[in-house]
Amino acid sequence: KKKKKPEDSFIDLRYRVADSLKLMETAVWSKKIGPFPPNKFPYKLQGVKGRFLQVEVFMQASKNKLSPIIKSLAAKGKTIVL
């Protein structure tokens, strides 16, 4: 039986990219993406360029303190030789 998500709970996310971990410290975060739901996963990042990707996930619990669950998080990319 498929579990329903807790009513009024949601997930937001944002990301940033950089070509080095040192540069990541000052990289600018994207605007907030979400909420999920009503938006749906998987979410495809378009036009993102950088060697490193950092994702921040915000999980909002429902009024009765039930939290959404993240079962997996994956990132795929392609290598471009410059």
Side-chain angles (χ1 to χ4, degrees):
K1 185 177 176 183
K2 188 174 182 179
K3 293 183 179 181
K4 283 179 60 178
K5 80 160 194 71
E7 293 294 325
D8 72 344
S9 67
F10 65 90
I11 295 172
D12 284 330
L13 60 92
R14 65 182 185 160
Y15 66 90
R16 60 186 181 176
V17 295
D19 287 326
S20 73
L21 293 176
K22 183 70 176 165
L23 289 172
M24 185 67 80
E25 296 172 11
T26 57
V28 177
W29 287 99
S30 70
K31 67 180 176 93
K32 182 176 75 171
I33 302 164
F36 298 90
N39 292 326
K40 299 198 186 280
F41 287 113
Y43 181 80
K44 290 188 176 189
L45 298 178
Q46 302 283 332
V48 175
K49 295 179 183 172
R51 184 171 179 205
F52 297 95
L53 169 68
Q54 184 176 24
V55 178
E56 181 180 77
V57 177
F58 174 78
M59 299 170 61
Q60 176 64 51
S62 64
K63 291 176 187 153
N64 58 2
K65 299 187 180 177
L66 295 175
S67 178
I69 296 171
I70 297 176
K71 293 183 180 179
S72 68
L73 181 65
K76 295 182 199 176
K78 59 183 173 182
T79 302
I80 299 172
V81 179
L82 300 176

